[in-house]
Amino acid sequence: MKTILKTFTTLTVLLSIISCQNPQEKKTEELANNYVKFVDSVANIDQEQAIENWDAIQKMNENKTAELNIEVDKLEDKTQLNAKIDSATIKYEKCQLRLMELKSKYDSENKAITMRKALFGNDYVADDLTFTWVNKNNILSVYEKFTTTVTQNKDSYSRQEWDQLKMLYEALDNRKNTVEKQGLTAADNNKIATLKFKFGPMFMVNRMGAKSEENSEAKE
């Protein structure tokens, strides 16, 4: 009997607390709870999916927090709700930082692949720069594609990109040393030598120009 009375008393207290909440408090608490659930869903979503849809997620977060802040400002006692909202906000910001770091990494990798495909054509294979797909029959066309693309875009490359271009070119040269032993014709070899003679000065002049521009921008 005492247990029943104790339980009844507890329920009565809880019901009285709930009944004391005015409509504004109920509305704001519901919004806060929904925001917490939203943040939890963002934290648990697949990372690649989150990165792909980040603009939409960020927009949704802005809308939810804006609406929530308007309603919280209408309350007299904001302490408990602010603590709940602040905790969710910190969790969201940590998640955002982690995803942005991954996005920057993915963007950099995708940019590198896009540049290499532009330089070497659709036949390019990401094989750790061993260029095993290059042989005596296609190596001249690979050099021609590379040199033509660099010539067309030489004014748009940054200093870091010129360094990447040099690394790629040297890796292709290493492959040529192997291909020469596999029957590369003298005619193709001479044409490649002409292309290499063209690339060398172009690399030096344009890399220096890109570095000079970066230094000027840094001073400004």
Side-chain angles (χ1 to χ4, degrees):
M1 184 68 178
K2 290 181 179 179
T3 302
I4 295 173
L5 288 172
K6 184 177 180 181
T7 303
F8 179 76
T9 303
T10 302
L11 289 173
T12 301
V13 172
L14 288 173
L15 289 172
S16 64
I17 292 173
I18 294 173
S19 62
C20 288
Q21 280 190 316
N22 60 43
Q24 182 60 48
E25 290 173 336
K26 289 181 180 179
K27 178 181 179 181
T28 309
E29 186 170 4
E30 287 179 4
L31 288 173
N33 290 336
N34 287 336
Y35 181 65
V36 171
K37 291 178 182 178
F38 163 73
V39 172
D40 287 341
S41 69
V42 172
N44 293 324
I45 195 174
D46 177 77
Q47 290 181 344
E48 290 187 7
Q49 185 179 354
I51 291 171
E52 183 179 350
N53 298 283
W54 184 251
D55 288 344
I57 292 173
Q58 182 71 350
K59 186 66 176 178
M60 192 178 300
N61 179 71
E62 291 173 358
N63 292 338
K64 285 182 176 295
T65 53
E67 181 182 13
L68 186 53
N69 288 334
I70 290 173
E71 299 304 325
V72 168
D73 286 342
K74 297 177 183 178
L75 299 178
E76 292 183 7
D77 184 2
K78 311 171 185 178
T79 307
Q80 289 186 347
L81 277 182
N82 276 340
K84 179 185 290 187
I85 295 168
D86 289 345
S87 177
T89 300
I90 291 172
K91 185 175 183 179
Y92 179 86
E93 290 174 348
K94 288 182 178 179
C95 180
Q96 180 184 29
L97 179 61
R98 173 170 50 84
L99 289 174
M100 290 303 96
E101 288 176 348
L102 284 173
K103 184 177 184 301
S104 177
K105 178 182 177 182
Y106 291 156
D107 288 347
S108 178
E109 291 174 352
N110 290 334
K111 184 178 180 181
I113 292 174
T114 299
M115 185 173 77
R116 292 180 185 185
K117 282 190 174 293
L119 292 166
F120 300 112
N122 292 328
D123 291 333
Y124 168 74
V125 177
D127 56 1
D128 298 326
L129 301 184
T130 55
F131 289 98
T132 53
W133 54 278
V134 176
N135 54 57
K136 64 184 180 66
N137 297 319
N138 67 7
I139 190 168
L140 174 59
S141 64
V142 173
Y143 269 98
E144 289 174 336
K145 173 67 175 172
F146 184 98
T147 306
T148 299
T149 302
V150 172
T151 302
Q152 291 174 344
N153 298 282
K154 65 181 187 297
D155 295 328
S156 63
Y157 293 131
S158 66
R159 179 174 57 85
Q160 290 81 2
E161 287 172 331
W162 277 110
D163 290 340
Q164 286 290 313
L165 291 170
K166 183 182 180 183
M167 179 191 70
L168 293 169
Y169 205 66
E170 289 175 347
L172 180 58
D173 281 345
N174 288 335
R175 178 59 180 171
K176 186 179 90 67
N177 294 334
T178 300
V179 171
E180 282 184 294
K181 302 172 185 177
Q182 298 174 347
L184 179 64
T185 66
D188 284 354
N189 206 351
N190 289 334
K191 291 177 182 177
I192 290 172
T194 301
L195 293 172
K196 291 178 65 175
F197 181 78
K198 179 180 180 180
F199 176 78
M202 179 168 56
F203 166 78
M204 292 183 62
V205 171
N206 286 276
R207 186 187 181 281
M208 288 177 61
K211 183 177 181 180
S212 177
E213 288 182 9
E214 290 179 6
N215 291 338
S216 297
E217 291 175 359
K219 290 179 180 179
E220 293 177 0

